[in-house]
Amino acid sequence: VTMWQSNGAPINGIALGFDGTIYASTGAGTSEYANSIVALEGKTLKLRDWLKHDSAFNSTPVVFSEGDKTYVAATSDARLYVLDATSLGGADHRRPLFVTEYAANVRFNNDGLATWRDAAGARWILAEVSGSIGAFKVLENGGALTVERAWTSRNMPSPRTPMIVNG
């Protein structure tokens, strides 16, 4: 039996990487692991890496691959983050690979994300955003990964984490 101590940072969700790494998102607090995405070794729960940011993460992370690279995506209140699984926050643990711009009228729910690749090969990330479902398209441009908001559903009374069925 083993454990990892978040030192008081609330754990909002966990995702399992393809290599057995556990990715956890944490909420607000005074812990050194608050407002973070952490990567833990699957068998020992030893801390491998982390990204610390200014605002709390509120979604369960999602892990996906593009070619030979693995990425982790998660949300805070108003932003979507995409991280390189081999270096979540860079040398200083503060630099995400990509983060959407802050938008005052956008609020991500405290649920998880969903991702899939469509028949044309495009990668999509879905999230509950301000009472609707938002679709974000992952793009690679000259070796740099970017994400753009592609569409938004109509407002719904009680949207939940999107689910991908049959691809």
Side-chain angles (χ1 to χ4, degrees):
V1 175
T2 188
M3 66 180 172
W4 174 72
Q5 294 288 334
S6 68
N7 298 334
I11 296 174
N12 293 326
I14 61 171
L16 185 61
F18 304 109
D19 64 354
T21 300
I22 298 168
Y23 297 95
S25 61
T26 65
T30 57
S31 162
E32 67 270 32
Y33 302 116
N35 305 335
S36 296
I37 301 293
V38 298
L40 306 171
E41 203 282 321
K43 291 184 180 181
T44 65
L45 299 184
K46 178 182 174 188
L47 182 66
R48 283 188 175 171
D49 197 7
W50 69 95
L51 166 85
K52 178 142 178 94
H53 226 263
D54 298 329
S55 57
F57 286 91
N58 63 359
S59 73
T60 298
V62 65
V63 180
F64 62 94
S65 64
E66 290 296 319
D68 61 351
K69 297 197 70 117
T70 300
Y71 300 98
V72 179
T75 61
S76 66
D77 277 349
R79 293 182 173 187
L80 171 66
Y81 294 77
V82 179
L83 316 174
D84 182 337
T86 62
S87 180
L88 293 180
D92 66 355
H93 304 286
R94 306 274 305 164
R95 300 185 196 290
L97 181 65
F98 179 84
V99 60
T100 57
E101 292 293 323
Y102 175 81
N105 63 340
V106 171
R107 289 289 172 257
F108 287 94
N109 189 348
N110 296 342
D111 288 334
L113 306 173
T115 183
W116 92 98
R117 180 181 307 284
D118 68 19
R123 167 68 60 187
W124 296 87
I125 298 173
L126 297 176
E128 190 277 314
V129 183
S130 303
S132 61
I133 301 297
F136 299 82
K137 192 172 186 178
V138 178
L139 305 165
E140 189 176 350
N141 188 359
L145 185 115
T146 62
V147 178
E148 64 182 33
R149 193 165 182 175
W151 57 262
T152 303
S153 74
R154 62 176 173 73
N155 281 340
M156 300 177 196
S158 185
R160 289 284 157 252
T161 301
M163 182 185 309
I164 309 303
V165 179
N166 293 330

